[in-house]
Every structure is written in C-alpha cells, then in structure tokens.
Amino acid sequence: MAGDAHAPPHVVEDCRGALRVLSDGTVVRSTPPIAAPEGVRADPSVEWKDAVYDAAHGLGLRVYKPAAAAAAAGDTKLPVVVYFHGGGFCIGSYAWPIFHAACTRLAASLPAVVLSADYRLAPEHRLPAAIDDAAAVLLWLRDRITADPWLAEHADAARAFVAGESAGGVLAHHMNVRFSGAPPATLHPVRLRGFVQLMPFFAGSEPTPSELACPDGAFLDRDMAGRYVRLSLPAGAGAAADHPFLNPFSPDADCAGGAGPTLVVVAGDDMLRDRNLEYVRRMKEMGKPVEAVEFEGQGHAFFSLRPWSEAVDEMVRAVKGFMDKVSAQAEP
C-alpha cells in the first residue's frame, strides 16, 4: 500500500535491548550497556588498565593484574590469559560490568594476567571480522609483552592461553586453528599453551536434543540463537548455521590446525550442551587433545552471570588444573 512507504521504521531484530535492527536497516545500540545482575561484583584486589590494540577500528582491551602479581617474588611470573566475551558476535564489550567482574574473578583466582578484548560486532561487521580481530589481539600481545610494564614484569610469555565464553569460545577455537599449526616464530616470544572454551556458541542446521528441549525464555534459547546466527554470518549466508564460522564440522571447515590442548566447559542445562559434547567427541576422533568438564544444573553463560557462585568456584579450579597440566608438559 502507498501509505506503508511512509510508515516509520520498526524493530525487526532485538538482541536483549542492547542491539535493535530497524526495518530500514538502521542499527541502534543501547547506552549505557546492560547493567550487571544483582550480586555480580568485581574483585577489588585486581588492578586494571585499558589499552588500544587497533586504532584504525577503535578497538581496545583491558589488562588485569591480580594482587598475586605484585606479591610474586624474584623471577616468578604468572600465566597470561587472552579472554573474549560472549554476546553472539552482536553485543558486548570488555567494559560491560558482567564481563569486567568475570575477568577480575579469573585474574584473582587462577591467578593470571588477563587481557579482555573487544572485537568488531555484527551486523555492522559480520564474521570473519571478529575472528580477524581476535588474531590481531594475539599479535598485539606478541609485540607488547616485553614493552608494556605490566606485561613485561608479570606475564610469562611461555605460558599463554586463549579463553572465551559463548561467542568468545568460538573465537578461541578459531585461534587454535589459526595459530597452533603456525610456525613458532609467528607469535614469538608468546607461546600458546592451550585454549579454554566456555560453552562455545557452535551452531548447525540440524537441531540437537538439548536445543529441542530448551524452553523459550532461557537465557539462550533457540529464538535468540537464531537471531545471532542471522546477524553475524556474512551477508547472503542467511540462517545457514552450517557455515564454517560457526560449525567446525561443516564441509568447508578446516580443523587441521587446531592441535593445541583444549578444555571445553559444558553447562548441563545449556541448549548448547549436546553440540559442545559433540565437538569434544569429534575432535578427539581426529586425534586432537581436547577434554570436557560438565556442570550439571548450570545454564548458558553461568560464568559471567554468576562469577562468584559455587559452580564457578569449581570451574575455575578445573581451568587452573588444565592450565597447570599443559604448562608442565615437556617442550616439543
């Protein structure tokens, strides 16, 4: 109808109110960001500072230094963890209170020097933009680890890990594929020892039993997951969830380089449970050093939503045990 051409734009995609896409293609992002749930608090013993790693794209990261770093004596240094937040590749920032609090928890409890990085978000910047940005963070670390005072004094370049939750867990997978098979000089003096994927946001065209059983209104349900897939995949991909950016076992995916030791944290009540366990099973079949730890009764993103819960206490112990184990392995 002629009148429809003059109708005001309406919302066609809404991601937790933090991102709205209008019918005319306009993208509206909320400011300030989503507030932290009640009970989410940062660890006051952890110092932090911000830095820019990609000025051209306006991308920054936050470096966390735990009290254990200042207390360390002599040449003792801490492992360094490069961490990527979740948000379906569409929302989120290291500055959001939930992700800030979660990273102080990691820094204090592991303990470790933690780098929490932003990356370009969809739909303005669709995949592989976030994957390329994650790689740029590791190159920034390579170039700065002996120049930045905090990193030079406290971070052990020989014990570096990549971790992330949900979409960030997918980025950890892609960094494993990209860098584990690369020549050692690529990131020297940084040595990537392992990868930690917290409830990685993998997808596929055929729904799994845990996806079919997921109730509407769960923190991550099928509707929200589908929205993230539509908005984050390259233009023209539509809702093709078997795209290799999100499905590591699609026909076009390349897992050949993903040989670094990997820990996958699985939430028992997460719609992604079956897909995460399938990832572990199939990677093991390919001869990859992958292991899983499952937390019964926990939902998606329980780490960032409840960083001081008993479940996260156990999760941090599992992550620390994994890091200590792979760090102690003999040099190749």
Side-chain angles (χ1 to χ4, degrees):
M1 296 176 59
D4 292 340
H6 302 288
H10 60 278
V11 176
V12 294
E13 301 279 13
D14 188 336
C15 297
R16 308 193 187 283
L19 165 69
R20 293 184 176 90
V21 181
L22 307 185
S23 55
D24 64 356
T26 301
V27 175
V28 181
R29 293 190 176 274
S30 68
T31 52
I34 295 173
E38 184 178 354
V40 172
R41 57 181 175 82
D43 188 315
S45 72
V46 177
E47 297 181 63
W48 54 271
K49 67 177 182 179
D50 292 341
V52 174
Y53 76 87
D54 185 341
H57 291 117
L59 294 171
L61 53 79
R62 183 163 288 175
V63 183
Y64 295 88
K65 181 177 69 172
D75 295 329
T76 302
K77 292 186 177 182
L78 299 177
V80 57
V81 176
V82 177
Y83 182 85
F84 297 105
H85 65 75
F89 298 105
C90 295
I91 61 175
S93 167
Y94 69 74
W96 279 23
I98 56 172
F99 301 133
H100 175 71
C103 284
T104 67
R105 175 70 206 268
L106 277 184
S109 299
L110 287 174
V113 175
V114 175
L115 277 65
S116 178
D118 276 352
Y119 45 87
R120 284 173 290 173
L121 299 175
E124 302 97 319
H125 305 283
R126 293 173 179 264
L127 293 170
I131 300 171
D132 292 339
D133 294 340
V137 173
L138 295 181
L139 296 175
W140 181 92
L141 176 63
R142 175 198 67 187
D143 296 339
R144 296 292 297 167
I145 197 160
T146 59
D148 179 273
W150 279 17
L151 297 175
E153 185 176 354
H154 301 297
D156 184 351
R159 289 188 295 155
F161 295 81
V162 179
E165 184 177 50
S166 195
V170 177
L171 292 179
H173 163 78
H174 283 289
M175 293 306 96
N176 192 352
V177 171
R178 182 171 299 197
F179 289 103
S180 289
T186 303
L187 291 176
H188 182 78
V190 173
R191 182 181 177 197
L192 294 182
R193 291 294 192 129
F195 302 82
V196 180
Q197 301 176 14
L198 310 178
M199 299 147 277
F201 180 59
F202 294 130
S205 58
E206 294 298 323
T208 66
S210 61
E211 289 171 347
L212 292 172
C214 181
D216 294 340
F219 183 74
L220 179 69
D221 59 17
R222 294 181 68 192
D223 178 66
M224 181 62 68
R227 193 168 303 151
Y228 288 144
V229 169
R230 288 192 300 272
L231 293 174
S232 64
L233 287 178
D242 276 325
H243 195 288
F245 290 152
L246 296 180
N247 185 346
F249 306 113
S250 73
D252 297 324
D254 178 14
C255 293
T262 300
L263 175 67
V264 180
V265 171
V266 182
D269 289 348
D270 186 0
M271 65 167 275
L272 298 176
R273 174 189 180 273
D274 293 349
R275 208 169 291 281
N276 289 171
L277 291 175
E278 176 75 356
Y279 172 84
V280 173
R281 182 185 68 81
R282 294 185 64 173
M283 292 293 277
K284 283 184 175 180
E285 290 177 350
M286 296 167 64
K288 310 296 184 182
V290 181
E291 58 189 89
V293 57
E294 183 172 352
F295 293 86
E296 297 291 342
Q298 298 302 311
H300 189 72
F302 74 90
F303 169 55
S304 58
L305 293 177
R306 293 178 296 279
W308 301 102
S309 64
E310 291 185 6
V312 172
D313 290 346
E314 185 180 350
M315 189 207 84
V316 171
R317 286 193 293 270
V319 172
K320 177 174 172 51
F322 167 78
M323 291 171 58
D324 289 346
K325 178 179 67 175
V326 300
S327 294
Q329 291 173 352
E331 296 284 339

